[in-house]
Amino acid sequence: YYPSGLRLDIISDYLVEAISRLRREYDFPKLFVVAHSMGGLVARSFVKKYVAYSNDDSGRLGLVVTINSPMEGIDSAAAGVAHCPIVVPCWRDVAPGSAFLRDVNAWNWPKDIPYYLFFSYVDGESGDSVVDLRSQIPQKLQKEAKGLHGFNNTHAGTLSDPECHKALNRVLSDKVANE
């Protein structure tokens, strides 16, 4: 959970600080990040910053999974920025072509941090009822991902999908077993 509505850079800055503080206090050996929807954008920005600026060893990032994340933005966010009298700050970041999206997507994922890309779709729709498939699985991220897992379900429905749970548990179990 995070304070939704804020600019995503601010949220990822907070996450870097929070994780760094937790690591200093508890010295955990690995961190696995699983993020849904806009959390996937926050997670990507977090990894970029954590690796570049943190005094912590990036090897402690054991893996990252994003689920149904609008990696190339959401058209409705751009419409909100253009037409609403009051703009929620994060809409600016999630609008296709935003400076935030250009920055996190221009960055190359570190090869030593396994990344898994989970996505969903609804038959007859262009995505999962919230995020277009083209935004969930852009080519660059498919190439960066160690694995892709797709589910025929809605944006929120995927979170309670038994097949998604099985796939996520497999990814986590395999990673833990290989440590």
Side-chain angles (χ1 to χ4, degrees):
Y1 293 97
Y2 55 88
S4 59
L6 291 177
R7 298 300 297 257
L8 300 185
D9 256 342
I10 293 170
I11 296 168
S12 64
D13 286 344
Y14 169 77
L15 190 55
V16 168
E17 178 58 34
I19 295 300
S20 296
R21 185 176 303 155
L22 286 169
R23 213 182 117 227
R24 283 190 302 274
E25 187 171 338
Y26 297 104
D27 195 32
F28 49 82
K30 290 284 182 185
L31 173 67
F32 294 178
V33 177
V34 178
H36 175 253
S37 196
M38 197 167 15
L41 293 170
V42 173
R44 188 169 178 91
S45 179
F46 159 75
V47 172
K48 178 181 184 251
K49 292 173 182 179
Y50 191 80
V51 168
Y53 304 116
S54 177
N55 292 329
D56 297 322
D57 173 19
S58 68
R60 299 238 185 179
L61 290 172
L63 69 81
V64 176
V65 177
T66 59
I67 305 170
N68 300 355
S69 296
M71 301 311 238
E72 289 193 340
I74 300 178
D75 292 336
S76 59
V81 169
H83 303 294
C84 288
I86 298 174
V87 175
V88 177
C90 69
W91 292 354
R92 296 184 195 288
D93 297 330
V94 182
S98 72
F100 176 84
L101 290 176
R102 285 192 313 272
D103 179 59
V104 296
N105 288 321
W107 172 74
N108 294 315
W109 193 268
K111 294 193 184 311
D112 62 332
I113 302 172
Y115 172 55
Y116 294 84
L117 186 56
F118 283 39
F119 63 94
S120 67
Y121 57 91
V122 174
D123 286 336
E125 293 190 25
S126 62
D128 66 6
S129 73
V130 174
V131 181
D132 282 347
L133 199 52
R134 67 164 175 74
S135 184
Q136 292 182 61
I137 54 170
Q139 284 293 316
K140 181 179 187 287
L141 273 63
Q142 289 183 47
K143 291 175 184 171
E144 292 176 343
K146 181 173 178 153
L148 278 86
H149 299 272
F151 308 94
N152 188 352
N153 212 319
T154 63
H155 189 71
T158 302
L159 296 175
S160 58
D161 185 326
E163 293 305 312
C164 181
H165 295 175
K166 286 179 195 172
L168 181 58
N169 284 330
R170 242 184 343 266
V171 164
L172 294 170
S173 295
D174 289 349
K175 182 62 182 166
V176 170
N178 291 324
E179 289 293 320

